[in-house]
Amino acid sequence: MTAAGVRATARIGARDDGRGGTSLPVLEGEGPLALRRTRASGSEARVMLVGAMSGPLGGDHFTVEATVAAGARLHVGSAAATIALPGQAKGEARYDVLLDVAAGGELRWLPEQLISAGGSELYVSTRIDLEPGARLVFREEQVLGRVGEEPGRLTSRLTLRIGGRAVLDQELACGPGAPGGWDGPAVLGGHRALGQLVVVRPEFEREPVRARLLGESAALTPLAGAAALVTALAPDALLLRRVLDEALSSLG
């Protein structure tokens, strides 16, 4: 911890153990980013990210890295929601997520939601790099404000590259100080929960998904490189999760 806030990094490395399972030669967490291996499911290793402290707070910089080698299967979740809070240190907090999956590897990234509490400032950056032939399920859920409060300032950028080619690069800013119109009908339309689901499967190369609406406030969009994107809005986190779960089930 410094005067500018807490710096912490968590690293996960998964590889084929040669016996039909997945080993975790790298499982390291610092300070507020604790990692716990949980009961495996078949050949899939499971890891839980456990927040050991409140945060991120103003001035904090958290980084989570996950690398999945060929033949390995990794599922990453979190024990509870992440809450961005105002802190004593000035300036925005940062939360970086760096994910790399080799050909023949599979990553399911399914943490709980991120809540942007009133007065907080957080920049979230997620960079996903896949080799052709990798498989991915990535879920991101954000809730603007706790019950009865206005949200903090939240900026989120998601970048997906497959074989070094960018197939998705988007950024959204919400809350006080964000560009005008973020809460208007063209963006959030008054909703306070927003999420997306990125699914990458080699079979989508042969049979791309069909673009379609998934209810009133969700849509499925095909992307290049065997990928599909679901974007959704909802009045609360519970309904948002239901929409994203149904979307994932519809993809088979």
Side-chain angles (χ1 to χ4, degrees):
M1 181 173 180
T2 70
V6 174
R7 302 290 185 270
T9 300
R11 297 182 177 89
I12 308 168
R15 69 183 183 191
D16 185 346
D17 67 5
R19 303 186 302 274
T22 297
S23 64
L24 298 173
V26 179
L27 193 64
E28 305 169 347
E30 298 176 338
L33 298 176
L35 298 172
R36 300 288 183 268
R37 181 165 188 165
T38 60
R39 185 181 297 274
S41 175
S43 62
E44 179 184 76
R46 295 197 170 198
V47 174
M48 191 72 69
L49 182 61
V50 181
M53 297 167 56
S54 296
L57 309 177
D60 290 351
H61 189 169
F62 295 171
T63 303
V64 180
E65 303 173 2
T67 302
V68 182
R73 299 181 63 218
L74 175 64
H75 179 126
V76 179
S78 61
T82 297
I83 305 178
L85 297 165
Q88 294 181 347
K90 294 183 179 181
E92 71 177 5
R94 284 189 61 96
Y95 201 123
D96 295 329
V97 177
L98 308 174
L99 308 176
D100 290 271
V101 187
E106 179 176 349
L107 173 62
R108 295 175 64 84
W109 187 267
L110 300 169
E112 296 303 307
Q113 66 268 21
L114 167 67
I115 300 173
S116 175
S120 65
E121 294 183 49
L122 178 64
Y123 185 91
V124 181
S125 174
T126 302
R127 190 187 73 201
I128 306 171
D129 285 285
L130 308 179
E131 291 183 359
R135 304 175 73 89
L136 172 76
V137 175
F138 170 88
R139 183 181 69 210
E140 182 178 62
E141 298 170 311
Q142 296 161 347
V143 179
L144 304 180
R146 293 169 293 190
V147 176
E149 76 174 0
E150 290 299 309
R153 169 70 181 270
L154 175 64
T155 304
S156 177
R157 183 175 181 182
L158 172 61
T159 304
L160 169 66
R161 296 189 299 181
I162 302 178
R165 176 190 179 191
V167 300
L168 178 66
D169 191 345
Q170 64 180 26
E171 183 172 287
L172 176 65
C174 305
W182 65 270
D183 200 23
V187 187
L188 299 187
H191 292 90
R192 283 295 179 265
L194 57 152
Q196 49 199 351
L197 189 69
V198 178
V199 180
V200 180
R201 294 175 179 163
E203 53 266 33
F204 289 169
E205 198 80 70
R206 302 184 300 273
E207 298 182 17
V209 300
R210 178 176 55 86
R212 60 184 185 272
L213 294 176
L214 303 172
E216 294 183 1
S217 302
L220 171 63
T221 305
L223 301 174
L229 171 68
V230 175
T231 54
L233 300 173
D236 57 57
L238 184 62
L239 183 55
L240 177 66
R241 176 66 60 84
R242 186 182 307 158
V243 170
L244 293 178
D245 283 349
E246 290 175 354
L248 183 58
S249 295
S250 74
L251 290 170

